[in-house]
Amino acid sequence: MPALILAGPTLREGVRIAALAPALRVAPEGLAWFAATVPIRADVALVVELVTAFAALLAIVGVRARPALAVLTLGTFYLGAIAQMTGQVWHDMHLLWFAALLTASPCDRALAFDARAQPAGQMGTAYALPLLCARLLLAAVYFFPGFHKLHTSGLAWALSDNLQNQLYWKWAEHGLVPSFRIDHHPWMLQAGGLGVLAFELAAPVLFLVPRLRVWGAMLGILFHLSTQAVFLIPFLSLWGCYAMLFDMRGVERRVARWSGSGSGSGSGSGSESESESESESESESESESGSGSGSVIGVGGLLLLGAIVQGIRGQMQAYPFACYPTFEYRVGTAMPDLRIVAVHADGSERDILHARDRNGYRTQRQWGTVWSLALHGTPERLRAYYLQNARVDPAAVRVRFEREFVSVRPEERGAPPLKSEEIAAITP
């Protein structure tokens, strides 16, 4: 978890958003209190980022792991909450959930610099409850999107032209058309869509039944690699958590057997002493498990309650609990965009480029912000966006914002908008 948090965008996005004008921030459900009471400043966010990154490094090597994880959880929540205030929620809060669960769990007993117990192969009940909570949370991430797909669109979600249109949206967002046109083979998209529904709905069984966990992990990795290859949606931060689905004790025993350390060739008295030591350690583990299970029940219960309630509601625009993207609605071939036009004193006009790099590329986070502005932007927020993010035209006497709908069909790329309407105008 600490490594995935460090590698992900949450920490640096929190610092970036904290530096933007307050008028650009939109608090999703669950963060109104945060926006009203917690200081959101670039200097504070930078300090929190540095402290959080240091805590993550301590947790990775296992130095004061649980206190470090507590700091990591708080820092990730602070920066993650700020990162969600762009008008579009990004669904990486599972890392926050698992970091909180690790804080309440005896995760520092093995494979840590200051480990307090026997090697990881040792039996122990202290890990059972937090692992159960983690697997239930992982199952909720997948199950509810599948449920809402089936409830809203039925099998037509997979068997209609919906997936082809979803594919066109992603190609249009990235500005490309792959050499292999899978859209020319509808049966492949339909088969894949049915497979997605089956996997998501079966996730609770796959992740909770011991004999099926490895199959669940392999199907999950196949699911994510396929969506990354076809729909350009990477989700390493989620399937990178699949370590919880594997029982590494069997691997440890096999390694010990192959290396000869588990051959049992030692003296009888040594074996008895070793057996007694293991028995005492197991008793200590069970005692500590009972004393520490309260915190796991409290934290795990709260996390599960939040994930399940939001999953049932299908509420995707919330933090720190939300339903993961459902893609439940069948989409068409028209995609919204935001056009910014600078009007000069002589009546001439010039389009203002925004949210694109030198090559014209717009990231997924930038698309989320643009859609939020095009569909729900207020004049104050649009003004702040223009002044802070667009290429300001000093000669403009008026700036007009238009909501456009453009075709995502590859054959119609670059065609005039299907529809355009003015949504606001400002005087710079």
Side-chain angles (χ1 to χ4, degrees):
M1 289 312 105
L4 288 172
I5 290 173
L6 281 180
T10 298
L11 303 186
R12 60 178 179 270
E13 279 296 300
V15 175
R16 184 181 71 84
I17 301 303
L20 298 181
L24 284 171
R25 301 176 195 145
V26 178
E29 179 180 288
L31 288 181
W33 67 272
F34 183 94
T37 60
V38 177
I40 302 176
R41 301 205 320 258
D43 54 348
V44 174
L46 180 59
V47 171
V48 172
E49 181 189 29
L50 295 174
V51 172
T52 303
F54 181 67
L57 294 174
L58 290 179
I60 287 172
V61 298
V63 175
R64 301 297 183 189
R66 291 176 69 182
L69 282 162
V71 174
L72 176 63
T73 301
L74 293 173
T76 301
F77 171 76
Y78 174 79
L79 293 172
I82 298 174
Q84 306 300 334
M85 294 187 180
T86 62
Q88 180 74 19
V89 168
W90 300 98
H91 296 83
D92 54 4
M93 62 276 292
H94 58 278
L95 297 176
L96 175 66
W97 301 346
F98 295 144
L101 190 58
L102 283 170
T103 303
S105 308
C107 61
D108 55 346
R109 293 188 182 176
L111 300 179
F113 180 80
D114 50 4
R116 301 184 287 110
Q118 299 298 313
Q122 178 187 315
M123 295 293 291
T125 60
Y127 307 105
L129 184 58
L131 276 172
L132 175 62
C133 292
R135 289 164 183 160
L136 285 169
L137 287 168
L138 189 64
V141 165
Y142 290 100
F143 174 78
F144 288 109
F147 169 79
H148 287 289
K149 288 182 180 74
L150 200 59
H151 179 264
T152 301
S153 299
L155 291 179
W157 184 87
L159 300 180
S160 66
D161 61 355
N162 170 57
L163 288 179
Q164 176 181 273
N165 293 340
Q166 298 268 14
L167 190 67
Y168 289 163
W169 275 59
K170 285 300 175 185
W171 289 356
E173 291 167 33
H174 289 277
L176 56 80
V177 178
S179 56
F180 174 67
R181 294 289 298 273
I182 193 173
D183 56 314
H184 291 168
H185 308 277
W187 68 269
M188 296 180 68
L189 287 173
Q190 293 172 0
L194 291 174
V196 167
L197 287 173
F199 170 70
E200 290 181 335
L201 293 172
V205 176
L206 292 172
F207 295 161
L208 295 177
V209 176
R211 292 180 180 274
L212 298 179
R213 284 180 197 142
V214 173
W215 289 103
M218 290 192 296
L219 289 172
I221 292 173
L222 177 63
F223 164 70
H224 285 294
L225 292 179
S226 299
T227 54
Q228 181 170 350
V230 177
F231 289 93
L232 308 175
I233 303 176
F235 222 145
L236 173 61
S237 71
L238 187 54
W239 63 265
C241 302
Y242 282 8
M244 69 178 70
L245 301 177
F246 295 92
D247 186 348
M248 300 305 295
R249 293 174 299 179
V251 176
E252 191 271 343
R253 284 193 291 268
R254 288 187 178 88
V255 171
R257 192 180 302 119
W258 292 337
S259 65
S261 60
S263 61
S265 59
S267 65
S269 60
S271 298
E272 291 176 5
S273 174
E274 186 176 318
S275 177
E276 291 175 1
S277 175
E278 289 181 0
S279 177
E280 291 175 2
S281 183
E282 287 180 15
S283 298
E284 179 184 351
S285 175
E286 292 176 3
S287 174
E288 292 186 9
S289 173
S291 63
S293 61
S295 60
V296 175
I297 292 173
V299 173
L302 177 63
L303 294 172
L304 284 168
L305 179 64
I308 291 172
V309 168
Q310 296 293 60
I312 293 173
R313 296 177 62 210
Q315 174 56 276
M316 292 176 282
Q317 299 301 312
Y319 190 85
F321 299 107
C323 180
Y324 272 54
T326 63
F327 297 98
E328 62 190 283
Y329 298 105
R330 295 168 58 185
V331 301
T333 58
M335 183 175 71
D337 199 351
L338 177 68
R339 183 189 182 201
I340 304 178
V341 181
V343 182
H344 301 149
D346 61 0
S348 61
E349 297 182 349
R350 182 171 74 88
D351 279 10
I352 302 295
L353 297 178
H354 60 100
R356 294 188 185 276
D357 62 15
R358 294 178 180 177
N359 298 319
Y361 181 74
R362 181 179 286 169
T363 68
Q364 295 296 285
R365 287 181 178 266
Q366 289 171 325
W367 270 113
T369 300
V370 167
W371 286 332
S372 173
L373 290 164
L375 298 175
H376 312 292
T378 62
E380 295 77 13
R381 191 168 168 230
L382 288 165
R383 174 190 290 275
Y385 177 79
Y386 168 72
L387 293 176
Q388 190 149 11
N389 291 280
R391 296 173 174 85
V392 176
D393 186 343
V397 296
R398 184 171 176 267
V399 178
R400 187 174 71 249
F401 300 90
E402 298 179 0
R403 180 191 299 121
E404 293 185 336
F405 287 90
V406 297
S407 175
V408 295
R409 296 180 187 276
E411 296 76 14
E412 299 173 1
R413 188 75 56 82
L418 302 172
K419 179 182 177 182
S420 181
E421 55 186 344
E422 183 175 323
I423 55 176
I426 63 170
T427 301

